[in-house]
């Protein structure tokens, strides 16, 4: 057990090394992130294996994979390092007005594109030196539940590949904090003048050629499940890797697509894309801010989460659960 070890004889930098290998799943990439040689990381891993009595990481052709013991240790090590970093950072409290920090936010582009205008306006007011990096997130194709679909995003968040995530999903494990930001639903979008917009009934809908947003190219979406329950089907003629590219395609074709309402309201007009209500009930879902609990010990991340929770995207006033 780690708490039985004489810490005066233990190099705590080994925990930083563990964190890097856990995040990168590759000894060479972890070495680069730590400004060390691959041999130094391998030597550190040997010491850590002896210390913890487990292989921790197993070699594969593409890098390394953690053992079950490493998976069990990872949350505790992450929490311990977060506390240490918080203590070190407390020497100079986070001041958004003076900070030049870069925060990383993960979200589907349909979410980030509606939050970006109010976010940039708020940064200009509160934190003009703070920079933002956006990481596009989409659910893993083929999964049968939201929890499995967004699992990779949660793992990336926990590995500190991003500071916060904003997802259409809120049922997260207890080690995360989830705050509902606003509710969202889907509309049917098509180019202005498309025949479907004049007769948006179910029969006409099923006869159209459809576009589905799918990062991996999987043509089946939630709409297909809804249609199947009614004994109906549609033709998915094209998949697009993100929502912005979907708008560009809709503008120049006769394809139609189910897209988030606020996203189309904000960006559809510039592409010549309009929308109508769906001919059957599309699900409404909560868009949530998700942060690892240990990350909230970082005053900067805590400030970012608090600031994001106050943003209201276009059309959201009075909608959904507010904080």
């Amino acid at each position: 057990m780690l708490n039985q070890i004489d810490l005066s004889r233990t190099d705590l930098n080994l925990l930083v090394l563990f964190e890097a290998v856990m995040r990168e799943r590759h000894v060479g990439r972890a070495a680069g992130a730590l400004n060390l040689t691959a041999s130094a990381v391998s030597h550190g891993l040997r010491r850590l294996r002896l210390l913890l009595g487990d292989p921790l990481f197993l070699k594969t052709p593409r890098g390394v994979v953690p053992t079950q013991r490493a998976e069990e240790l990872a949350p505790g090590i992450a929490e311990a390092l977060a506390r240490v970093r918080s203590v070190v950072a407390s020497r100079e409290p986070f001041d958004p007005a003076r900070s030049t920090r870069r925060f990383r936010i993960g979200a589907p582009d349909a979410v980030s594109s509606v939050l970006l205008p109010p976010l940039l306006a708020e940064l200009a007011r509160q934190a003009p030196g703070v920079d933002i990096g956006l990481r596009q997130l989409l659910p893993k194709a083929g999964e049968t539940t939201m929890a499995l679909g967004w699992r990779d995003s949660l793992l990336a968040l926990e590995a500190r590949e991003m500071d916060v995530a904003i997802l259409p999903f809120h049922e997260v494990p207890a080690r995360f904090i989830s705050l509902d930001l606003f509710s969202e639903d889907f509309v049917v979008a098509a180019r202005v003048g498309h025949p479907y917009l004049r007769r948006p009934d179910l029969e006409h809908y099923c006869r159209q050629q459809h576009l589905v947003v799918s990062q991996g190219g999987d043509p089946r979406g939630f709409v297909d499940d809804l249609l199947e329950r009614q004994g109906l089907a549609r033709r998915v003629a094209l998949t697009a890797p993100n929502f912005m590219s979907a708008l560009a395609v809709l503008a120049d074709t006769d394809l139609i697509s189910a897209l988030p309402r606020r996203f189309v309201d904000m960006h559809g007009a510039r592409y010549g894309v309009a929308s109508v209500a769906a001919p059957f009930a599309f699900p409404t879902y909560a868009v949530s801010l998700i942060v690892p609990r240990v990350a909230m010990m970082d005053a900067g991340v805590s400030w970012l989460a608090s600031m994001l929770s106050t943003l209201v995207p276009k059309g959201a006033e009075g909608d959904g659960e507010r904080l």
Side-chain angles (χ1 to χ4, degrees):
M1 296 294 291
L2 192 58
N3 61 2
Q4 296 173 329
I5 294 171
D6 182 359
L7 291 181
S8 66
R9 300 182 181 181
T10 302
D11 182 359
L12 297 184
N13 284 320
L14 293 178
L15 301 186
V16 177
L17 186 148
F18 174 93
E19 180 186 54
V21 177
M22 191 74 182
R23 178 180 66 246
E24 300 293 341
R25 300 294 203 268
H26 194 282
V27 170
R29 289 197 296 268
L34 297 171
N35 292 317
L36 297 173
T37 64
S39 61
V41 172
S42 296
H43 178 68
L45 282 177
R46 284 195 293 271
R47 293 171 59 197
L48 198 54
R49 286 164 177 150
L50 290 173
L51 184 68
L52 299 176
D54 187 85
L56 297 176
F57 299 97
L58 305 177
K59 290 183 179 179
T60 74
R62 300 181 64 182
V64 296
V65 295
T67 64
Q68 182 178 348
R69 178 62 174 152
E71 294 279 13
E72 293 168 352
L73 288 169
I77 290 175
E79 182 173 0
L81 290 175
R83 289 183 181 276
V84 171
R85 287 169 178 140
S86 178
V87 169
V88 173
S90 66
R91 184 176 58 136
E92 185 176 344
F94 179 79
D95 180 359
R98 297 171 52 211
S99 177
T100 57
R101 186 168 170 178
R102 174 179 292 273
F103 292 102
R104 295 160 298 176
I105 300 173
D109 69 316
V111 172
S112 60
S113 63
V114 299
L115 281 176
L116 199 55
L119 170 60
L120 293 178
E122 194 62 23
L123 288 177
R125 188 180 72 82
Q126 283 194 46
V130 165
D131 297 324
I132 297 294
L134 293 178
R135 172 173 174 163
Q136 179 174 311
L137 303 178
L138 282 174
K140 189 174 181 179
E143 297 294 357
T144 56
T145 67
M146 292 287 277
L148 291 174
W150 292 109
R151 181 174 181 270
D152 288 350
S153 295
L154 295 183
L155 290 174
L157 181 60
E158 197 164 35
R160 301 303 297 272
E161 294 174 16
M162 50 194 163
D163 295 294
V164 303
I166 303 173
L167 299 173
F169 171 62
H170 66 274
E171 296 178 358
V172 294
R175 63 185 183 274
F176 294 93
I177 293 172
S178 174
L179 305 172
D180 286 353
L181 300 182
F182 58 91
S183 64
E184 181 62 289
D185 63 349
F186 278 75
V187 293
V188 179
R191 63 171 176 80
V192 172
H194 193 293
Y196 175 77
L197 299 177
R198 295 193 295 273
R199 186 163 65 87
D201 58 57
L202 185 55
E203 180 187 357
H204 202 197
Y205 178 85
C206 291
R207 293 211 315 262
Q208 303 304 309
Q209 296 186 41
H210 295 253
L211 181 156
V212 167
V213 175
S214 169
Q215 192 171 38
D218 182 359
R220 188 175 180 88
F222 71 89
V223 170
D224 300 285
D225 295 328
L226 295 173
L227 290 173
E228 192 174 83
R229 290 175 201 149
Q230 303 180 57
L232 301 170
R234 63 175 179 169
R235 177 190 170 191
V236 175
L238 181 70
T239 65
N242 55 58
F243 291 96
M244 277 296 184
S245 62
L247 278 184
V249 171
L250 293 182
D252 295 323
T253 68
D254 280 334
L255 297 174
I256 69 172
S257 184
L259 298 177
R261 181 185 300 275
R262 285 183 181 79
F263 172 70
V264 178
D265 285 350
M266 181 173 286
H267 300 289
R270 78 178 72 170
Y271 288 90
V273 170
S275 66
V276 291
F280 53 93
F282 280 179
T284 298
Y285 56 88
V287 174
S288 301
L289 173 71
I290 300 172
V291 192
R293 289 186 184 277
V294 296
M296 291 295 279
M297 299 179 203
D298 181 325
V301 172
S302 180
W303 167 82
L304 176 66
S306 177
M307 186 266 289
L308 286 170
S309 73
T310 67
L311 299 182
V312 181
K314 180 181 179 181
E317 293 81 353
D319 243 4
E321 181 180 342
R322 298 298 306 152
L323 300 175

